[in-house]
Amino acid sequence: MLKLNVQDEISRLRAVVLGTALSNGPIPKIEDCYDPKSIEHIKAGTYPTEADMIKELDAVDEVFKKYGVKVFRPEVIQDCNQIFARDIAFVIDDILIEANILPHREEEVEAIDYIWNQVAENKRIILPENCHVEGGDVMPWYDHIFIGTYSGNDYSDLITARTNIHAVKAIQDIFPHKKVKSFELRKSNTDPKENALHLDCCFNPLGKGKAIIHKNGFLIEDEYQWLVDFFGKENIFEITKDEMYQMCSNVFSISEDVIISERNFTRLNSWLRKQGFTVEEVPYAEIGKQEGLLRCTTMPLIRD
């Protein structure tokens, strides 16, 4: 059996699910896309190839091997995009929660059934059907759980609105001893620079008390300000709209002082090194064309 443990985003990683690009399928039709950035690249003829994305995921796998992290991969489904492992489930404390994700993506969840079945039954939760949630919106942080959400009346019209207020309430009920803090995110079906697909597209807490943030990703300035005050302005790396579009906040912490980052994030990576982090740079720009990056493709199972 797997004994899960995830209390935060930065403790030393021991086991993780890493997405796969094997048998990723043909370039999707525009009407089948889940985000505006993918649509932009399909129209431009620059949508990523399966071979390039396999290489990028392999580069992350190599970093995990270097640090002795046990890596699980989803079972491969023919012609199915299974890159974004964070969407389909997430761990808080020792509990594995299956995400209620977009319709037509249920088979992605079935591809990690072999992991689900290694977790004790009383440590597995499937949320009620009306609770929509994806792991990119959920961040355990010691006695807090940060959750990105959208509660506008047009929720059902926005394919980019992934986590609803029902899910926020359900998670609070499961973890009554924690402080669940939700953040309303800016959503757009058409403009990737005005769309925070998940909370980790505009915010990421790091080790050493640091954090990355993009103000415009938040709909309510007071909620953005709450995070700035929580971490301290001097500890925050503010990213520009263009850096958010490149997914600069979506790095991944192996430990409090080791971060996997995209090799083109020059300004961010330089700042991280100045703060004393070890930065493991990988090529991930092709995967980034689907509006997801390093945190999106990884789902931690066990941290110290």
Side-chain angles (χ1 to χ4, degrees), residues 14-295:
R14 300 297 174 187
V16 68
V17 180
L18 175 65
T20 180
L22 293 169
S23 193
N24 201 61
I27 293 172
K29 297 188 182 112
I30 284 172
E31 60 269 25
D32 294 335
C33 284
Y34 305 131
D35 69 277
K37 198 168 175 186
S38 291
I39 292 169
E40 187 178 271
H41 284 287
I42 290 167
K43 286 179 174 171
T46 52
Y47 192 79
T49 66
E50 183 178 296
D52 283 345
M53 293 190 289
I54 288 170
K55 269 189 220 151
E56 291 186 345
L57 285 157
D58 283 351
V60 173
D61 197 19
E62 285 302 313
V63 176
F64 286 144
K65 280 187 188 139
K66 176 179 171 181
Y67 287 90
V69 176
K70 179 158 178 56
V71 178
F72 295 85
R73 307 299 288 267
E75 290 177 342
V76 176
I77 301 163
Q78 285 300 112
D79 295 334
C80 179
N81 184 336
Q82 296 177 268
I83 291 168
F84 298 113
R86 183 78 64 155
D87 288 355
I88 57 180
F90 52 91
V91 176
I92 300 176
D93 292 353
D94 59 351
I95 293 172
L96 180 59
I97 298 173
E98 185 182 295
N100 286 339
I101 60 174
L102 294 168
H104 317 305
R105 292 186 68 186
E106 297 90 346
E107 58 182 354
E108 286 180 64
V109 180
E110 289 163 18
I112 60 162
D113 275 355
Y114 80 97
I115 300 167
W116 179 261
N117 294 332
Q118 291 178 63
V119 176
E121 263 187 69
N122 65 339
K123 299 295 182 184
R124 307 187 308 217
I125 289 179
I126 299 174
L127 296 174
E129 215 172 300
N130 68 335
C131 298
H132 302 167
V133 61
E134 290 185 354
D137 276 323
V138 181
M139 295 183 183
W141 194 249
Y142 306 104
D143 59 342
H144 283 77
I145 303 171
F146 302 140
I147 304 181
T149 187
Y150 182 77
S151 62
N153 293 332
D154 55 348
Y155 179 94
S156 58
D157 300 327
L158 289 164
I159 192 97
T160 52
R162 301 293 175 83
T163 298
N164 65 12
I165 215 74
H166 299 297
V168 174
K169 287 179 179 140
I171 290 169
Q172 179 68 85
D173 290 344
I174 297 164
F175 302 98
H177 56 293
K178 290 193 186 266
K179 299 176 192 127
V180 172
K181 178 77 181 158
S182 65
F183 303 89
E184 293 277 337
L185 302 180
R186 190 174 303 283
K187 302 290 179 180
S188 170
N189 279 353
T190 55
D191 183 353
K193 291 193 178 179
E194 292 291 330
N195 180 50
L197 195 62
H198 294 125
L199 182 59
D200 60 16
C201 298
C202 61
F203 165 70
N204 205 340
L206 309 172
K208 306 179 191 290
K210 309 296 180 188
I212 305 167
I213 202 162
H214 177 61
K215 185 177 184 181
N216 192 56
F218 296 83
L219 270 182
I220 298 168
E221 188 163 343
D222 283 356
E223 293 181 355
Y224 154 81
Q225 194 58 48
W226 186 93
L227 278 170
V228 172
D229 294 342
F230 185 87
F231 286 89
K233 195 166 177 44
E234 69 284 0
N235 293 314
I236 282 185
F237 186 82
E238 285 267 2
I239 56 174
T240 65
K241 191 174 279 199
D242 196 54
E243 286 171 327
M244 186 199 87
Y245 171 78
Q246 301 298 340
M247 307 297 297
C248 268
S249 64
N250 209 274
V251 296
F252 182 74
S253 294
I254 287 183
S255 69
E256 180 144 349
D257 46 16
V258 179
I259 294 172
I260 311 180
S261 181
E262 215 287 325
R263 65 185 178 189
N264 295 307
F265 293 169
T266 319
R267 192 173 82 91
L268 172 66
N269 295 345
S270 166
W271 179 82
L272 289 171
R273 289 189 173 107
K274 280 182 189 148
Q275 308 308 310
F277 291 101
T278 298
V279 181
E280 295 285 353
E281 292 189 7
V282 293
Y284 235 54
E286 292 304 302
I287 283 171
K289 291 175 178 178
Q290 296 181 74
E291 211 156 345
L293 210 77
L294 289 151
R295 191 177 182 275

